[in-house]
Amino acid sequence: MKITFLGTGTSQGIPIIGSKHPVCLSGDEKDKRLRVSVLIEWDDFTYVIDCGPDFRQQMLRADCDKIDGIIFTHEHSDHVQGFDDIRPFYFRQGDIPIYGHKRVLKSLKKRFDYVFKTENKYPGAPAVTVNRIKNKPFKLGNLEVIPVNGKHDKLQVFGFKFGEFAYLTDMKTVKDKEVEKIKNVKVLVVNALRIQPHQSHFNLEEALLFIKRVNPEMAYLTHISHLLGFHEVVEKTLPKNVFLAYDGLQINL
C-alpha cells in the first residue's frame, strides 16, 4: 500500500492569503500546505479521502489519472469543495463512486445538485454512484475498511482504517471503543492544528496524547496551520516515532 499526502494544511491552507506571519512567508516547501487529503493505492486500486478546493492541483501534481472512488470524512468546504473537478475522471471512467455518512451525502446533493440530477442534466456535468457509510466495516476493492467515529466539535466525523494504516482528521474527541479499532496500527495519521487549544481540532499536545492511546509504530501529523510553527523546528521537538506530514510525502506499507 502506498499513501501520498496530497495536502496537509488547514482550511485556509498555508500560506494564508495576505498573511505576513513568518510561517506563511517561509521559503521551505514543507511549510507550504494545500488543503488536507490523501491518496491511497494498493494492488490496482486507487482511492482519495476528501476532495477540497485544491483537488485539481493535487491530482495534477500526483500524476493521478484514475480513481476508484472518493471517501468523505465530513462535509466542510475544505474537504468537499473540489467535487466538481472529478469531471476528467468521469469523462474517462464513467460514474465515480463516492462514500460518506448520510448527512454528508445530503449536503453534497444540495451543494452540487447538478451532479445528482437524472433528468435534463447538463451534458458537461459528472455523475456519481452513491454509497452510504455507517459505523461498520465496508469493502473497497479487495480491502475491508473500518470507519472510526469521532467528533469535530459537535459534528460527527469519520476516520478510516485501511489494513495497518489509520487516517483521522478534524477530530477533537474519540471514544475508547473507537480507539480500540485502531490500537497498535503500523501508521496513524491524525490532525494537529496548532500549539494552543482549539474548539474542534486536536492541538499538538492533544494529538500526542491521542497517539499514545493508539500506540502505533509511527504517526504523522496533518491538518496543520501556520500557528503550529515552522516544519523544521517543530519536527525536532516530536517523539522519535512521530513526524510532521508534508505535501507530497509518500509512505509505503
Side-chain angles (χ1 to χ4, degrees):
M1 179 178 288
K2 181 171 75 172
I3 295 95
T4 303
F5 289 85
L6 300 172
T8 57
T10 188
S11 58
Q12 296 182 83
I14 306 175
I16 294 173
I17 296 170
S19 175
K20 304 303 180 186
H21 188 281
V23 174
C24 291
L25 299 176
S26 172
D28 186 348
E29 287 299 314
K30 292 180 180 179
D31 285 324
K32 302 182 190 305
R33 302 181 185 276
L34 300 177
R35 268 60 73 96
V36 67
S37 178
V38 290
L39 182 71
I40 303 177
E41 301 171 85
W42 72 94
D43 297 336
D44 193 36
F45 299 102
T46 304
Y47 286 86
V48 177
I49 299 182
D50 292 332
C51 62
D54 304 312
F55 181 71
R56 174 182 175 275
Q57 181 181 354
Q58 292 165 340
M59 293 292 94
L60 288 170
R61 186 174 62 183
D63 195 25
C64 183
D65 60 6
K66 77 110 175 176
I67 54 174
D68 293 298
I70 301 171
I71 310 110
F72 290 98
T73 58
H74 65 297
E75 67 269 36
H76 283 171
S77 287
D78 54 323
H79 296 258
V80 306
Q81 201 57 43
F83 192 43
D84 185 74
D85 284 324
I86 66 173
R87 285 184 295 155
F89 296 107
Y90 165 71
F91 295 150
R92 286 195 301 270
Q93 301 173 209
D95 293 12
I96 305 298
I98 63 170
Y99 302 79
H101 186 280
K102 65 178 181 179
R103 186 199 68 249
V104 176
L105 299 173
K106 182 179 180 180
S107 176
L108 289 171
K109 288 177 182 178
K110 181 178 179 180
R111 296 168 71 171
F112 300 93
D113 62 314
Y114 61 92
V115 173
F116 298 88
K117 280 187 175 181
T118 56
E119 296 181 1
N120 300 317
K121 186 168 182 173
Y122 179 69
V128 297
T129 56
V130 176
N131 300 273
R132 177 181 168 186
I133 296 174
K134 299 181 181 180
N135 193 15
K136 61 182 183 180
F138 62 99
K139 291 291 288 291
L140 291 180
N142 59 2
L143 185 69
E144 181 179 77
V145 178
I146 299 173
V148 181
N149 207 33
K151 287 290 185 72
H152 179 37
D153 190 18
K154 297 178 182 179
L155 182 70
Q156 181 276 341
V157 176
F158 274 138
F160 301 100
K161 179 176 180 283
F162 293 71
E164 291 298 320
F165 172 74
Y167 181 84
L168 282 70
T169 185
D170 289 52
M171 295 284 188
K172 181 64 176 181
T173 54
V174 186
K175 292 183 178 180
D176 288 342
K177 66 179 181 179
E178 299 296 314
V179 173
E180 285 298 318
K181 297 176 179 179
I182 57 174
K183 272 284 186 75
N184 304 314
V185 292
K186 287 186 178 179
V187 176
L188 170 68
V189 178
V190 67
N191 59 284
L193 187 72
R194 64 189 192 188
I195 302 298
Q196 295 298 318
H198 188 272
Q199 181 176 343
S200 58
H201 291 274
F202 288 152
N203 68 352
L204 179 59
E205 180 181 11
E206 291 166 335
L208 293 176
L209 288 173
F210 183 78
I211 290 167
K212 285 185 177 181
R213 286 173 69 192
V214 175
N215 191 37
E217 289 185 14
M218 291 190 300
Y220 291 85
L221 306 179
T222 193
H223 209 294
I224 293 165
S225 84
H226 62 299
L227 298 175
L228 188 65
F230 292 102
H231 185 284
E232 184 178 3
V233 174
V234 176
E235 178 115 287
K236 292 176 181 177
T237 71
L238 299 176
K240 63 180 181 179
N241 67 327
V242 180
F243 308 90
L244 291 185
Y246 56 88
D247 290 16
L249 171 66
Q250 292 185 340
I251 54 179
N252 291 282
L253 290 174

